[in-house]
Amino acid sequence: MFARRSRHPAYTDDDPPIVRALRAATEPPPWRLNFFFTGCLVEATLLMLGVLTESISGLPRSVEKHAKKDRPMTIVYIPPSGMRPQPPPPPRGTVAVAKLAIPPVIDYPTPPKSKIKVRLGEITINIAEDTDDQLPSVVRQQNGTFAVLDPNDPSFTRYTFDPPDWQMHPTVLDVRRRMKFRLIPPSNWPLLRSLAESNNLKPDNYQVDALFDGAFSDCLEREIRNRSSGGTGQVTAVSLAFNSSRSCGIDVLKVDFAQ
């Protein structure tokens, strides 16, 4: 929209062409307000868009950042429900033959007994929060697996995620006598969250345990003994942290003895 310029009262519509030409040459041009208002409108629009973009895009990132930081990653040790199965007795009729093959007993000196007693099935094991997401690397290094269990019957697995490619397998496995660490809640571990999404599972509808075999149990017991050097008696509780840079994938932070 153009602003009207006020006409000098000395000029009339009956002025000759030469006068109108002089008037056009001497009068200041009208101020084109449309350019000014358009510029103001564009500038205000860009400013509002910038504010809205910052408020929309910046807030979720901040919320997501704090959500990840505050997201608990709890690991609970689940002790085995029974001792390891004993080997079956030899068939009847072979005991006498076996006795004949036994060499004579030699009285060797008895090695000194350890002053430290570690029974993993009887002690309290506390696991530090896995803030650095070390558990998947430890499971891979120690030949473990992630087991998906039915909360109504956690004695048997429904699926397993096996390293190194973490493929999901429908597996029925009795885990009552296995060393296992329960992940609460499973979706807080990025690997498990990704695996659940790619396999159309809702991980928090199940129980997910990290399973390890007897070799890991023996290694853990040695680490506890090494950390307990100088102490004596029955170990009652230990505090551990998963650490893939360690030989057993475990840092023994603290050992408590019976009083």
Side-chain angles (χ1 to χ4, degrees):
M1 176 179 179
F2 293 92
R4 293 178 177 272
R5 55 181 172 179
S6 59
R7 186 172 59 183
H8 197 278
Y11 298 124
T12 64
D13 293 336
D14 298 332
D15 291 334
I18 185 64
V19 175
R20 291 197 297 269
L22 290 173
R23 182 179 61 189
T26 57
E27 281 186 341
W31 187 27
R32 298 186 177 184
L33 295 178
N34 60 331
F35 290 160
F36 173 75
F37 288 118
T38 301
C40 292
L41 181 61
V42 171
E43 184 176 356
T45 303
L46 292 177
L47 179 62
M48 290 299 296
L49 286 176
V51 173
L52 290 175
T53 301
E54 182 178 357
S55 62
I56 293 175
S57 63
L59 182 59
R61 284 198 299 267
S62 177
V63 172
E64 182 181 358
K65 178 180 179 182
H66 289 289
K68 289 182 178 179
K69 182 179 179 181
D70 299 336
R71 181 179 293 169
M73 304 176 74
T74 306
I75 302 175
V76 178
Y77 170 67
I78 308 298
S81 59
M83 302 299 293
R84 297 179 184 175
Q86 299 296 324
R92 182 174 299 178
T94 61
V95 177
V97 177
K99 285 185 177 180
L100 294 176
I102 296 177
V105 178
I106 301 176
D107 189 13
Y108 291 107
T110 303
K113 295 183 178 180
S114 174
K115 298 180 180 180
I116 302 171
K117 298 178 181 180
V118 181
R119 299 187 181 95
L120 293 179
E122 301 176 6
I123 66 178
T124 301
I125 298 181
N126 301 307
I127 310 296
E129 186 176 347
D130 189 21
T131 54
D132 295 330
D133 195 21
Q134 292 286 306
L135 183 57
S137 298
V138 174
V139 171
R140 183 187 298 110
Q141 292 175 1
Q142 303 299 323
N143 299 318
T145 187
F146 286 114
V148 180
L149 314 172
D150 188 338
N152 298 322
D153 186 11
S155 300
F156 296 89
T157 64
R158 297 188 61 180
Y159 309 98
T160 59
F161 292 105
D162 303 322
D165 53 1
W166 303 113
Q167 293 295 319
M168 187 178 76
H169 302 286
T171 307
V172 178
L173 181 65
D174 188 349
V175 298
R176 287 174 293 183
R177 295 179 177 177
R178 296 285 295 272
M179 171 167 279
K180 46 191 176 289
F181 298 87
R182 185 151 299 163
L183 284 63
I184 305 175
S187 60
N188 285 5
W189 275 261
L191 173 63
L192 293 180
R193 187 166 60 249
S194 174
L195 292 174
E197 291 175 356
S198 60
N199 291 278
N200 197 25
L201 288 177
K202 293 183 178 180
D204 291 343
N205 291 344
Y206 300 90
Q207 289 182 358
V208 179
D209 292 354
L211 300 182
F212 296 94
D213 57 14
F216 178 81
S217 176
D218 296 339
C219 190
L220 174 58
E221 183 176 332
R222 287 196 302 270
E223 288 294 314
I224 294 174
R225 291 184 182 278
N226 293 337
R227 179 66 171 78
S228 305
S229 59
T232 57
Q234 174 69 44
V235 175
T236 58
V238 294
S239 297
L240 310 176
F242 283 101
N243 186 348
S244 59
S245 64
R246 304 288 294 180
S247 59
C248 292
I250 285 288
D251 267 330
V252 181
L253 306 178
K254 184 181 177 183
V255 179
D256 296 328
F257 293 90
Q259 298 295 330

